[in-house]
């Protein structure tokens, strides 16, 4: 293998060709590692070879600013048909009147919606980061998109830590107080990055609308669960718009989308372009169209298994002695599991140990961490997701085995290198990708052009 020696900012002793080889060597290494690992990051999934083929197409070289049929560029004869197909597929997947598939990520979708429905200085109401909120909803002080980029003032929904959900009565009181103070929320934003149970959209939508607010639901994490009918129906419950990422519970490449109603279409379209995109990454748009067909065919069955697996993983960890949050309601109703690991160490330290054992998950703030002076760099929690392991064909018994492997590292304190050998062995039986149309390629195979 080519060794590149980096000495201060001088790169010595390599030619462009060696660096070229090095990039591919690193890609091969990454793929090999993931083939031998347990990918449990709750915001990640693996897309099918068909989706990856679309992503590698010529569309990644093209521009198509504007709406289908009204482009600012030539050369979009087929792009227009693919984008229209993608819109139609997403409409039927979510039973949505209007869909904009141009946002290039979940954050971009949120920013487009802020642009469509609010002005700088307005109030956004959402969850705080320790209670599950995402940085794209956060205050300027934290560098969050809502505050730092769109100038929104951020107010938090009151949160019930036992129920791990928004406290409806307290939220109603807070909204009416904010309204009296002349700070009524212009946007009430549901959705989260630690999202165990459906949020009370139906219960709060009228209150938000009665003070002049727009109801938005950030489904970045749970879009696939909603499409598969296992996590509520925010559009029918009163949401004006739903933003999403396409690569968490959905099967797509990394991208975003906005679902809404015809009456909001023009506002949202302008928010997306010229608001927050120019080029909208047409190769991943094509990938999303393919992913949407897979979701329509296999989504319901997939997300049903995802939720079952998350529950099995949570109860398996609980059996190992790990403090999984939400025991009172069966730990989770989604793909996500969150555990307090402070009995054994801190989330950041344990994340690294687990990574050495080829168990890939992430540290996470717990709702009460800040009160205990714990911060994001080394919080008290870990977050796990069942998305990718489910797509690899694993079932509930396999979740119990994963819980035991995790328990060996964090509860029993076994050497991660030793556990890694057993992780590799266990994973060797799960190389195929499931819930997609037939393919001869493997889930984490590095696809080469010969
Ligand atoms: C992941 C996430 C996003 C951002 O999605 P990207 O596609 O990574 O930009 C937005 N909101 C929530 C709640 C998320 O969890």
């Amino acid at each position: 293998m080519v060794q590149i020696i980096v000495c201060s900012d001088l790169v010595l002793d390599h030619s462009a060709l060696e660096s070229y080889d090095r990039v591919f060597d690193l890609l091969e290494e990454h793929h090999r590692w993931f083939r031998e690992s347990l990918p449990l990051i709750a915001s990640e999934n693996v897309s099918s070879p068909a989706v990856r083929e679309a992503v590698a197409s010529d569309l990644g070289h093209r521009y198509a600013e504007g709406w289908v049929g009204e482009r600012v560029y030539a050369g979009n004869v087929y792009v227009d048909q693919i984008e229209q197909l993608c819109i139609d597929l997403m409409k039927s997947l979510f039973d949505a009147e209007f869909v904009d598939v141009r946002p290039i990520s979940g954050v971009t979708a949120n920013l487009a919606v802020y642009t469509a429905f609010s002005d700088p200085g307005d109030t956004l109401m959402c969850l705080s980061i320790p209670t599950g909120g995402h940085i794209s909803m956060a205050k300027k002080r934290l560098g969050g998109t809502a505050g730092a980029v769109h100038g929104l003032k951020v107010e938090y929904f009151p949160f019930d830590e036992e129920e791990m959900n928004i406290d409806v009565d307290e939220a109603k009181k807070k909204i009416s107080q904010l309204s009296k103070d002349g700070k009524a929320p212009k946007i009430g934003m549901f959705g989260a990055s630690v999202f165990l149970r459906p949020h009370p959209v139906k219960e709060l939508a009228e209150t938000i609308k009665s003070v002049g607010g727009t109801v938005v639901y950030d489904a970045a994490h749970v879009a696939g669960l909603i499409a598969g009918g296992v996590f509520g129906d925010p559009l029918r419950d009163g949401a004006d718009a739903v933003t999403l990422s396409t690569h968490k519970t959905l099967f797509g490449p990394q991208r975003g989308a906005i679902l809404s109603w015809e009456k909001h279409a023009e506002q949202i379209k302008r928010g997306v372009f010229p608001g927050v995109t120019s080029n909208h990454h047409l190769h991943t748009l094509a990938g999303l169209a393919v992913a949407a067909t897979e979701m329509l065919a296999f989504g319901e069955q997939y997300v049903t298994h995802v939720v079952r697996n998350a529950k099995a993983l949570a109860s398996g960890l609980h059996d190992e002695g790990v403090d999984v949050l939400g025991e009172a309601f069966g730990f989770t109703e989604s793909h996500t599991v969150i555990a307090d690991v402070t009995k054994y160490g801190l989330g950041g330290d344990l994340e690294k140990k687990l990574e050495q054992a080829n168990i890939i998950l992430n540290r996470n703030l717990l709702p009460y961490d800040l009160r205990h002076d714990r911060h994001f760099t080394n919080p008290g929690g870990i977050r796990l997701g069942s998305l990718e392991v489910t797509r690899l064909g694993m079932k509930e018994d396999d979740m119990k085995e994963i819980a035991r492997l995790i328990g060996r590292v964090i509860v029993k304190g076994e050497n991660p290198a030793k556990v890694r050998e057993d992780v590799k062995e266990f994973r060797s039986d799960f190389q195929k990708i499931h819930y997609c149309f037939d393919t001869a390629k493997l889930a984490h195979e590095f696809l080469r052009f010969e």
Side-chain angles (χ1 to χ4, degrees):
M1 194 190 300
V2 179
Q3 283 295 329
I4 300 176
I5 303 155
V6 182
C7 173
S8 67
D9 41 16
L10 281 179
V11 180
L12 302 175
D13 193 28
H14 81 288
S15 66
L17 183 60
E18 282 171 340
S19 295
Y20 174 93
D21 287 338
R22 180 80 179 132
V23 175
F24 287 100
D25 286 346
L26 290 168
L27 284 168
E28 292 269 15
E29 287 286 302
H30 174 87
H31 277 261
R32 183 194 50 75
W33 187 29
F34 270 74
R35 273 199 301 277
E36 297 176 344
S37 296
L38 293 171
L40 296 165
I41 304 263
S43 56
E44 290 181 0
N45 209 329
V46 58
S47 54
S48 68
V51 167
R52 291 166 62 199
E53 186 175 339
V55 170
S57 70
D58 178 69
L59 268 59
H61 309 129
R62 306 298 151 208
Y63 264 85
E65 278 177 355
W67 194 253
V68 176
E70 306 162 9
R71 305 296 194 185
V72 182
Y73 284 82
N76 293 142
V77 171
Y78 299 101
V79 168
D80 270 4
Q81 295 175 61
I82 291 169
E83 186 164 322
Q84 188 59 53
L85 192 51
C86 189
I87 291 169
D88 293 342
L89 289 163
M90 292 287 279
K91 277 186 180 174
S92 70
L93 191 55
F94 290 98
D95 192 12
E97 261 183 34
F98 169 77
V99 179
D100 195 323
V101 292
R102 296 172 302 169
I104 57 169
S105 69
V107 169
T108 313
N110 282 349
L111 192 49
V113 163
Y114 300 155
T115 307
F117 296 115
S118 70
D119 291 307
D122 286 342
T123 301
L124 169 78
M125 197 165 187
C126 61
L127 284 173
S128 70
I129 290 182
T131 60
H134 186 258
I135 190 69
S136 59
M137 312 165 181
K139 294 183 178 183
K140 181 171 180 174
R141 181 170 59 76
L142 301 171
T145 313
V149 183
H150 197 58
L152 293 171
K153 302 273 187 286
V154 179
E155 293 286 342
Y156 299 134
F157 279 122
F159 191 75
D160 183 330
E161 292 176 12
E162 284 298 307
E163 293 293 324
M164 287 298 283
N165 210 336
I166 294 167
D167 184 325
V168 172
D169 292 336
E170 291 300 317
K172 283 184 178 167
K173 283 187 213 156
K174 184 160 180 179
I175 292 164
S176 99
Q177 188 57 49
L178 284 168
S179 177
K180 280 187 199 129
D181 299 344
K183 295 190 284 187
K186 200 70 196 290
I187 296 178
M189 180 97 160
F190 295 91
S193 300
V194 174
F195 207 168
L196 305 181
R197 320 178 72 182
H199 283 164
V201 181
K202 209 182 229 160
E203 290 79 355
L204 288 171
E206 276 319 308
T207 311
I208 294 165
K209 290 179 188 182
S210 73
V211 299
T214 300
V215 177
V216 177
Y217 184 108
D218 180 341
H221 260 270
V222 296
L225 305 182
I226 291 167
V230 300
F231 206 75
D233 187 357
L235 283 173
R236 255 60 55 185
D237 283 349
D240 293 295
V242 175
T243 59
L244 50 94
S245 298
T246 55
H247 46 270
K248 298 181 184 179
T249 40
L250 290 173
F251 291 154
Q254 294 180 329
R255 200 174 170 82
I258 302 168
L259 321 172
S260 187
W261 304 95
E262 222 21 88
K263 63 180 177 191
H264 299 308
E266 288 313 312
Q267 246 170 312
I268 290 172
K269 280 158 114 174
R270 281 182 59 77
V272 176
F273 173 80
V276 299
T277 58
S278 162
N279 181 345
H280 61 283
H281 298 190
L282 305 173
H283 54 318
T284 62
L285 171 73
L288 176 59
V290 176
T293 66
E294 296 172 344
M295 258 336 265
L296 282 165
F298 308 102
E300 217 173 293
Q301 193 192 12
Y302 169 66
V303 297
T304 304
H305 287 157
V306 160
V307 176
R308 270 190 220 150
N309 279 350
K311 284 176 183 289
L313 182 58
S315 70
L317 286 168
H318 178 76
D319 294 344
E320 293 297 310
V322 177
D323 292 326
V324 182
L325 268 53
E327 189 178 357
F329 54 86
F331 303 112
T332 186
E333 295 165 29
S334 74
H335 61 298
T336 301
V337 175
I338 184 140
D340 178 333
V341 292
T342 52
K343 276 199 309 209
Y344 312 110
L346 286 169
D349 301 327
L350 294 174
E351 170 195 282
K352 285 196 191 72
K353 266 199 188 164
L354 288 162
E355 190 187 55
Q356 287 162 21
N358 283 12
I359 299 169
I360 299 171
L361 49 73
N362 67 285
R363 64 182 183 275
N364 216 99
L365 277 171
L366 302 169
Y368 44 83
D369 262 351
L370 299 184
R371 296 202 296 274
H372 295 269
D373 218 19
R374 291 190 292 260
H375 298 278
F376 181 70
T377 45
N378 213 352
I382 55 172
R383 186 186 70 164
L384 308 88
S386 60
L387 296 175
E388 195 162 346
V389 289
T390 303
R391 206 150 194 227
L392 292 170
M394 294 189 196
K395 297 278 159 52
E396 281 128 300
D397 283 348
D398 306 310
M399 297 303 115
K400 299 287 176 192
E401 181 56 28
I402 293 177
R404 281 191 286 275
L405 291 161
I406 292 171
R408 284 172 57 190
V409 178
I410 69 177
V411 179
K412 302 197 176 76
E414 254 186 72
N415 181 356
K418 193 165 152 237
V419 178
R420 180 169 67 220
E421 291 315 306
D422 295 332
V423 166
K424 284 187 194 175
E425 171 67 28
F426 171 67
R427 174 63 206 270
S428 65
D429 292 339
F430 301 96
Q431 293 300 322
K432 272 198 63 175
I433 187 153
H434 295 245
Y435 311 97
C436 64
F437 300 107
D438 264 353
T439 171
K441 309 281 188 212
L442 299 177
H444 292 98
E445 189 171 337
F446 180 50
L447 304 180
R448 275 199 180 269
F449 291 121
E450 290 305 336

